[in-house]
Amino acid sequence: MQSTTGPEPCRPSPGETIAVVPPDWEITDPAAPRCRGEVVDVVGDLVTVRVLGHLRLRRVHQVAAWTGEEEGAR
């Protein structure tokens, strides 16, 4: 049996606004810089996100629901 050490990963849908972290960060790290992105597509655990007009590819452990608290973080 596999143990879980953190919260369940975000399962975003296309069109949803989410928080995104840079490639070398985990969304669970409180120090991780976050910015707002829009989900374009989801395939398995890969999420294509539009951030500041550019497409980025992230894994589900690198995204979370957008709460607005991250506003201004870049």
Side-chain angles (χ1 to χ4, degrees), residues 7-51:
E8 185 66 26
C10 176
R11 296 292 174 197
S13 301
E16 185 177 348
T17 299
I18 58 172
V20 181
V21 296
D24 296 337
W25 293 84
E26 297 286 331
I27 198 74
T28 55
D29 185 340
R34 291 166 170 73
C35 63
R36 182 174 53 191
E38 178 188 346
V39 177
V40 175
D41 195 18
V42 180
V43 178
D45 72 337
L46 295 176
V47 182
T48 303
V49 183
R50 182 174 290 114
V51 179

